[in-house]
Amino acid sequence: MLVEPMTVATTSSITISLFNNVKDPVPKPKELSLSEFISTLIAEPELVEVPDEADIKRVKEQGELWSPASFNGAIRDNDDVGALSCLVLDVDKGRDGEEGLAPEDEDALFEYLERKEYLYAAHTSFRSGYFTPRRKLRVVLFFARSATPSEFISAWNKLARELPVPPDPTCSEISRIYFSPRCPSQHASLYESFTAGHKFLPLLGSLGLDLNATERKKTTEEWAESLSTTTSKWDTLRRAAFGAGAAAGRDGLALPDHWELFKSALERNPSPVTDWGHAEATCVDSTESGWLKGCDERATAPAVPEAFIPTEKQLLRA
């Protein structure tokens, strides 16, 4: 039996929240196409006058901000985040711990992104070039669909562990806000923005499970048979439901409901199940997580418009 598929937002459109300034707590949702959003990230920045270095913070905080989060409530709050449309990395320090990125840090960061072929938009930050000639970067990466808060945190932490240069850990906060591209007018020549890549950042689902090559070939019936004999019922049930859900997602099918099949298999297992309600919840949650993972694997990123292909100047590691 199949149930209706979940509503999954894809990156044909992206919803962000806008804020007038750092003291504005009220999110204003805005929906953009992927191309439009990338265009705003790599467009010419707003140039502002900074009379003195002591005024940097004051001037910076007067600008508009955005958040990748959509909020269920009227005020920006972690508890009210419903979904996140993209992932942001602020890379402000090099591997030596010093402010800004050394040229070899930038090379390592972009070599990683290019090897992964992730679609990204990047620009130098407001303070880039102040106090040190080394640049500070903001990098935005995209999902195939909107992520739940737990999926976002899993994806952010996994990416942060893999990156050759550590990002600012505060960017893992689900309700964090970011300044729209702005630059002190006296540093306009230092500002750069660019985009490249074509693959979406993968989501592993809220459970963070994955399957090996043999498990990926198993049918739902084979998973059920393993449930009837296993001594590790909870782990096997979780993986079985995840695997069956992932197969359906990869094949473009609706979210499957195989609880009755798996329940029958567990009943044949000589080891008793003491909490059937917990078992059913485990099956449902794991199926959903696997199905979302399968949908991610099936999704392909749109081709990057020609206007987004970075020029030699834009890719200059200065």
Side-chain angles (χ1 to χ4, degrees):
M1 180 178 70
L2 296 178
V3 297
E4 289 299 312
M6 294 172 54
T7 300
V8 177
T10 67
T11 46
S12 58
S13 65
I14 278 183
T15 299
I16 60 174
S17 297
L18 298 177
F19 299 85
N20 296 331
N21 51 58
V22 292
K23 296 183 179 180
D24 179 14
V26 181
K28 272 99 29 206
K30 183 173 183 179
E31 186 172 319
L32 300 149
S33 71
L34 176 62
S35 297
E36 288 173 331
F37 185 48
I38 291 178
S39 293
T40 66
L41 293 171
I42 65 171
E44 291 295 319
E46 177 191 359
L47 298 179
V48 294
E49 292 296 324
V50 180
D52 187 84
E53 287 186 353
D55 296 309
I56 293 175
K57 186 173 185 292
R58 177 185 61 79
V59 174
K60 177 184 177 182
E61 292 183 350
Q62 293 172 349
E64 181 186 68
L65 300 97
W66 66 278
S67 170
S70 298
F71 296 88
N72 296 324
I75 301 296
R76 180 173 73 92
D77 187 273
N78 280 347
D79 292 338
D80 286 329
V81 173
L84 297 105
S85 58
C86 57
L87 182 151
V88 182
L89 301 169
D90 280 350
V91 193
D92 298 330
K93 293 184 178 180
R95 288 172 289 189
D96 57 5
E98 296 295 322
E99 289 292 321
L101 299 177
E104 56 269 24
D105 293 324
E106 286 198 29
D107 288 341
L109 173 64
F110 287 106
E111 283 170 6
Y112 169 86
L113 294 172
E114 289 161 10
R115 184 172 69 254
K116 291 289 190 177
E117 299 181 309
Y118 290 148
L119 175 63
Y120 70 86
H123 62 81
T124 49
S125 68
F126 190 86
R127 292 174 183 266
S128 186
Y130 269 102
F131 313 121
T132 173
R134 293 167 35 151
R135 301 199 302 183
K136 299 183 177 184
L137 294 172
R138 173 161 296 155
V139 183
V140 182
L141 298 98
F142 305 92
F143 303 125
R145 57 170 175 80
S146 54
T148 65
S150 57
E151 288 176 325
F152 171 86
I153 292 170
S154 294
W156 198 98
N157 288 336
K158 181 176 185 297
L159 183 62
R161 288 193 301 268
E162 293 180 355
L163 285 173
V165 184
D168 182 347
T170 62
C171 292
S172 63
E173 182 185 349
I174 57 176
S175 66
R176 186 169 175 79
I177 50 179
Y178 302 92
F179 286 100
S180 299
R182 302 171 82 230
C183 178
S185 56
Q186 57 266 48
H187 283 189
S189 62
L190 301 178
Y191 187 89
E192 285 198 78
S193 62
F194 36 87
T195 184
H198 64 94
K199 290 184 178 179
F200 289 130
L201 192 66
L203 292 169
L204 294 179
S206 58
L207 295 177
L209 294 174
D210 208 348
L211 304 171
N212 60 40
T214 301
E215 289 175 323
R216 288 169 68 93
K217 295 177 182 178
K218 293 178 70 170
T219 65
T220 304
E221 289 71 22
E222 288 172 331
W223 276 116
E225 183 59 31
S226 66
L227 278 171
S228 67
T229 59
T230 183
T231 56
S232 303
K233 293 187 298 300
W234 295 115
D235 182 62
T236 303
L237 174 60
R238 188 176 293 110
R239 299 188 74 80
F242 183 87
R250 286 194 300 270
D251 293 339
L253 303 177
L255 183 65
D257 178 7
H258 41 239
W259 167 238
E260 291 301 326
L261 174 65
F262 286 172
K263 180 181 178 182
S264 176
L266 286 170
E267 287 173 336
R268 297 197 303 273
N269 192 305
S271 301
V273 174
T274 57
D275 188 345
W276 285 101
H278 178 53
E280 181 175 10
T282 296
C283 181
V284 171
D285 289 347
S286 299
T287 299
E288 180 179 304
S289 184
W291 185 75
L292 293 174
K293 176 68 160 58
C295 290
D296 288 341
E297 292 178 353
R298 183 169 178 264
T300 55
V304 179
E306 186 175 345
F308 294 162
I309 298 175
T311 64
E312 190 172 323
K313 176 181 179 298
Q314 288 173 315
L315 286 176
L316 184 63
R317 311 282 196 262

